[in-house]
Amino acid sequence: MSRLNKFLAFIALAIFSPWAQAESSIGGSIEDYHWQETIDNAPLSPTEYGLRYAVHLKWVQDRERGLLFGYRGKLYAGKVHYDTFYQISGLPVATTTQYSGAIHEAQFSYRVNMANSHKLDYVGGLGLDTWQRSIGNNGFKQIEDFLIVYVRGGITLDKFGKTPGFHGGGGLKYPLYTREDAHLDNQGYDSNPILTPGKDISLYAELGYRIGKDWDVLGYYDSWRFKRSNTVIASRGGVLWEISQPQSSMDAYGIKAMYSF
């Protein structure tokens, strides 16, 4: 048996073994989304803003203490406003961006029992965040596909027994691998070199209140910070262009309801 197969078998045993008591939850959210790009000597900073909608899924082992495994998933979509400018004239223009994306994250945490009333988890995660931006309207579309492999680490504090009360947590995220396919060959360029947004640390946090044993209402914050990408060269109309993804920041403030089973 290969090392990969042994690892997958170990994970499956951890998830499905009889001792692996677990809590699963599913829910939905609405979030206020902001994306901003910083371009040197530009007439304005291109900015996206608006509402996105998401479905959330969470699974985590539930024991008093020790090493735990879990999974977190998110599917999200929405159409937001986009204020930008024409590259040649510098004149401002308003359009829209359609988003669709998914997050998959494997979680590993260590739980500390605090006086039999609260549980403190030191959480680590390895995740994949992929999304597509479809920019434009009135027959013009610019497609950008992002793929981010990341790690995150932080803490969560909760009460035992699904009893009513506040709970929450937060921490840091860092991208290990970044890839942006701007589909330049669909915009009149003769090639499609791939961009790699620069890596930077970002934050996440959430604060929730459990209503009874089955329902939670939570407010959350999520973010991405990317430095300017590499510069690529592509030809269009016999002219060589230098192309890069500007320094970019994403902030999402959301509220979600989750049902546990």
Side-chain angles (χ1 to χ4, degrees):
M1 181 181 290
S2 68
R3 291 183 179 180
L4 176 59
N5 288 335
K6 289 180 180 179
F7 176 75
L8 294 176
F10 173 76
I11 295 297
L13 180 63
I15 292 175
F16 295 109
S17 61
W19 57 264
Q21 295 183 356
E23 178 180 333
S24 300
S25 57
I26 189 171
S29 72
I30 182 172
E31 61 186 30
D32 184 18
Y33 176 82
H34 296 265
W35 175 280
Q36 185 167 341
E37 300 174 351
T38 302
I39 305 175
D40 294 337
N41 302 317
L44 58 85
S45 296
T47 304
E48 295 175 342
Y49 55 94
L51 298 180
R52 300 196 314 186
Y53 306 89
V55 175
H56 301 260
L57 178 64
K58 184 177 180 180
W59 179 95
V60 63
Q61 289 180 314
D62 190 15
R63 291 187 292 159
E64 289 187 358
R65 59 175 60 86
L67 182 64
L68 308 174
F69 299 96
Y71 166 81
R72 182 178 69 96
K74 178 182 178 182
L75 300 176
Y76 55 92
K79 180 180 287 188
V80 299
H81 301 283
Y82 188 20
D83 293 335
T84 183
F85 61 91
Y86 292 109
Q87 293 185 357
I88 297 178
S89 66
L91 294 175
V93 60
T95 184
T96 59
T97 301
Q98 180 71 48
Y99 271 91
S100 60
I103 296 174
H104 299 282
E105 180 180 299
Q107 293 186 340
F108 307 86
S109 58
Y110 189 83
R111 175 166 295 170
V112 178
N113 188 334
M114 301 178 62
N116 295 319
S117 60
H118 287 78
K119 49 189 178 183
L120 175 66
D121 292 352
Y122 299 94
V123 181
L126 174 63
L128 173 67
D129 190 357
T130 62
W131 69 87
Q132 182 178 92
R133 299 168 72 194
S134 179
I135 304 171
N137 50 26
N138 298 325
F140 171 79
K141 290 290 183 181
Q142 177 182 333
I143 306 296
E144 298 177 356
D145 293 316
F146 286 77
L147 186 152
I148 311 296
V149 178
Y150 67 91
V151 292
R152 72 169 182 156
I155 61 172
T156 63
L157 180 64
D158 198 357
K159 300 178 69 175
F160 276 108
K162 297 184 180 181
T163 54
F166 287 98
H167 55 92
L172 305 175
K173 299 194 305 181
Y174 186 78
L176 298 176
Y177 173 81
T178 63
R179 184 181 191 274
E180 178 188 353
D181 183 352
H183 298 279
L184 297 175
D185 51 347
N186 292 334
Q187 301 176 45
Y189 293 93
D190 62 358
S191 61
N192 184 40
I194 299 301
L195 300 171
T196 55
K199 303 168 184 177
D200 206 349
I201 295 174
S202 58
L203 305 176
Y204 71 93
E206 70 176 22
L207 177 64
Y209 187 84
R210 178 166 295 116
I211 305 171
K213 66 176 183 178
D214 297 327
W215 286 96
D216 292 87
V217 178
L218 306 99
Y220 66 88
Y221 168 74
D222 199 7
S223 66
W224 278 121
R225 296 292 184 269
F226 298 112
K227 298 177 182 178
R228 182 178 175 179
S229 76
N230 60 316
T231 299
V232 299
I233 305 296
S235 174
R236 183 172 64 178
V239 178
L240 293 178
W241 294 81
E242 293 186 350
I243 302 168
S244 63
Q245 172 64 31
Q247 176 182 329
S248 305
S249 63
M250 183 278 280
D251 298 282
Y253 304 86
I255 183 169
K256 64 181 175 180
M258 300 291 290
Y259 176 77
S260 299
F261 55 94

